Amino acid sequence: MKRKEVLYALRAGEFDGISHSYEPYKGYGKNSHQLEMSVSGGSIEVTKVTTGKSFNGKENERWEDRTPEVLSDSKALDFIESHPYYFSQRRPDLF
């Protein structure tokens, strides 16, 4: 991957509009985790969605926790490098 050129393309907005939800996976216990990604304005917003259930004494209660993180510059490049599929479809010459 051409990191410098990918960074310029990200800042120029060439990857804007890319969004994807990565398959959920089971963590420890009964919790499930999923990553949602969207790109806009030269940054990548990655939201980790954790869902689970707990017992309140009478019945199971389902809960969801969303933790957003905005990535830019080198952190965004690291994310693109570990998840290149959707980015390489937009600009295959950079990968």
Side-chain angles (χ1 to χ4, degrees), residues 64-75:
E64 178 179 288
D65 181 41
R66 300 176 82 74
T67 309
E69 182 181 4
V70 177
L71 306 176
S72 59
D73 297 331
S74 64
K75 287 186 178 185

Side-chain angles (χ1 to χ4, degrees), residues 8-91:
Y8 291 145
L10 179 67
R11 287 180 178 164
E14 294 180 28
F15 295 122
D16 282 6
I18 295 177
S19 62
H20 182 67
S21 294
Y22 294 94
E23 289 294 317
Y25 63 91
K26 289 285 186 187
Y28 294 108
K30 298 184 193 261
N31 297 343
S32 158
H33 307 279
Q34 183 174 16
L35 286 180
E36 296 176 354
M37 170 208 54
S38 64
V39 183
S40 69
S43 62
I44 303 171
E45 182 176 322
V46 179
T47 304
K48 182 178 180 181
V49 182
T50 304
T51 57
K53 60 184 175 180
S54 59
F55 187 69
N56 69 358
K58 293 182 181 180
E59 61 186 16
N60 287 328
E61 291 183 346
R62 297 198 178 275
W63 55 270
E64 178 179 288
D65 181 41
R66 300 176 82 74
T67 309
E69 182 181 4
V70 177
L71 306 176
S72 59
D73 297 331
S74 64
K75 287 186 178 185
L77 286 176
D78 293 340
F79 182 83
I80 292 172
E81 200 166 45
S82 63
H83 302 87
Y85 182 72
Y86 291 95
F87 298 94
S88 63
Q89 287 185 353
R90 186 73 58 97
R91 287 290 308 271

